[in-house]
């Protein structure tokens, strides 16, 4: 008898403790292991609280994102826009020395989770590359070493699936809440962002991967106004608070 393992997949939390806690409450008792796809910090007002919470989860795999690199000084953030750069500098000041070291020591992806699954932040060939379209997806599928590659970075939930030369793109939503992984297909999957959704749906996004071959996509409401209040109180740019309400 084989035992199904259940992985909770968290990406792009972005120092949003309200969203993270809502996800953990909604997914309580539904997972055995946690994997984190990077961008724990940046944009949001609670970088230390988010890192502490993630550490409590004892993830079996965790990789860095571009904002993690900027917040711990591994990257200058010079290719960030003004708001993101301001937030990165603010985050760098807030981080405890232990948390700065923790971010600095995070490995880059891709990381293999099991025979079927690997994770990366941007793309398997470049942790900072954004996978938006079929061209990016094709390139990523060629670089992937597992049939299912789960990525973040764009904050946009998507399922690219390839059977032979045929590539399809689907958006997981209430009409497509889960995916049965086909043995003959290869996949590139973005679960969406926990802490700063950008698909027009302000609810926190996450996924569950069941090792018997199912990916489940979830959205959960959280206290957006509290996350906004924290951003305002921290003196972070108001645009970062505003966008949470519209999920953009
Ligand atoms: Zn991000």
């Amino acid at each position: 008898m084989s035992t199904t393992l259940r992985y909770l997949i968290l990406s792009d939390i972005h120092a949003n403790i309200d969203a993270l806690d809502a996800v953990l409450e909604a997914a309580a008792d539904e997972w055995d292991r946690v994997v984190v796809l990077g961008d724990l910090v940046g944009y949001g007002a609670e970088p230390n609280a988010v890192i502490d919470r993630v550490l409590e989860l004892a993830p079996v795999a965790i990789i860095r994102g571009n904002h993690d690199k900027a917040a711990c000084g591994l990257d200058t953030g010079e290719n960030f826009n003004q708001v993101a750069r301001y937030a990165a500098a603010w985050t760098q000041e807030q981080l405890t020395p232990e948390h700065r070291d923790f971010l600095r020591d995070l490995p880059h992806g891709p990381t293999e989770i099991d025979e079927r699954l690997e994770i990366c932040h941007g793309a398997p060939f470049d942790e900072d590359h954004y996978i938006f379209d079929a061209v990016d997806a094709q390139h990523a599928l060629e670089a992937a070493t597992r049939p299912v590659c789960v990525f973040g970075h764009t904050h946009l939930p998507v399922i690219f699936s390839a059977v032979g030369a045929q590539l399809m793109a689907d958006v997981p939503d209430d009409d497509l809440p889960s995916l049965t992984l086909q043995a003959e297909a290869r996949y590139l999957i973005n679960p969406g962002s926990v802490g700063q959704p950008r698909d027009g749906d302000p609810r926190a996004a996450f996924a569950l991967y069941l090792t018997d071959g199912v990916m489940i996509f979830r959205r959960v409401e959280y206290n957006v106004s509290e996350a906004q209040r924290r951003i305002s109180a921290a003196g972070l740019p108001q645009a970062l608070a505003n966008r949470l309400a519209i999920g953009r």
Side-chain angles (χ1 to χ4, degrees):
M1 196 182 90
S2 71
T3 309
T4 299
L5 279 173
R6 305 165 302 171
Y7 286 87
L8 174 64
I9 303 177
L10 305 174
S11 189
D12 296 281
I13 302 166
H14 282 293
N16 187 338
I17 192 68
D18 302 292
L20 177 58
D21 280 343
V23 164
L24 295 177
E25 192 179 326
D29 307 322
E30 292 185 51
W31 54 269
D32 308 300
R33 296 177 176 181
V34 175
V35 301
V36 182
L37 309 191
D39 278 4
L40 282 70
V41 304
Y43 297 135
E46 296 291 345
N48 289 305
V50 161
I51 293 172
D52 281 333
R53 190 75 83 249
V54 167
L55 286 170
E56 287 166 20
L57 300 171
V60 292
I62 177 168
I63 52 177
R64 67 190 187 186
N66 51 320
H67 287 262
D68 302 321
K69 285 193 285 183
C72 69
L74 277 179
D75 187 286
T76 57
E78 63 190 354
N79 55 345
F80 281 19
N81 65 41
Q82 209 179 343
V83 166
R85 203 177 321 132
Y86 185 92
W90 179 89
T91 303
Q92 196 162 7
E93 282 171 23
Q94 302 298 314
L95 287 174
T96 67
E98 293 76 18
H99 288 163
R100 195 174 311 125
D101 290 346
F102 167 75
L103 292 180
R104 202 167 278 167
D105 291 341
L106 284 178
H108 63 77
T111 294
E112 289 156 355
I113 304 299
D114 64 13
E115 288 306 304
R116 184 191 271 129
L117 189 79
E118 70 180 348
I119 61 170
C120 62
H121 184 66
F125 55 85
D126 178 351
E127 61 181 339
D128 295 331
H129 189 88
Y130 292 90
I131 298 174
F132 281 120
D133 58 23
V135 175
D136 299 322
Q138 194 60 50
H139 189 185
L141 283 169
E142 284 159 17
T145 61
R146 291 290 184 271
V148 182
C149 176
V150 182
F151 68 101
H153 200 33
T154 64
H155 301 204
L156 299 171
V158 68
I159 303 163
F160 290 102
S161 53
V163 179
Q166 183 92 18
L167 181 70
M168 283 190 20
D170 286 297
V171 176
D173 57 17
D174 293 340
D175 296 326
L176 182 60
S178 72
L179 175 72
T180 301
L181 301 166
Q182 307 294 331
E184 68 277 14
R186 288 172 304 130
Y187 298 93
L188 272 176
I189 295 172
N190 190 324
S193 165
V194 170
Q196 196 199 72
R198 294 182 190 163
D199 62 342
D201 181 345
R203 295 177 298 170
F206 65 101
L208 294 155
Y209 161 62
L210 315 185
T211 55
D212 58 1
V214 179
M215 193 73 72
I216 299 167
F217 301 93
R218 297 273 299 274
R219 301 301 285 254
V220 55
E221 287 185 12
Y222 72 95
N223 193 340
V224 171
S225 45
E226 179 61 12
Q228 292 176 311
R229 188 199 61 74
R230 294 183 204 266
I231 286 170
S232 302
L236 284 160
Q238 192 58 32
L240 293 173
N242 295 344
R243 66 187 303 175
L244 293 180
I246 53 171
R248 291 286 182 198

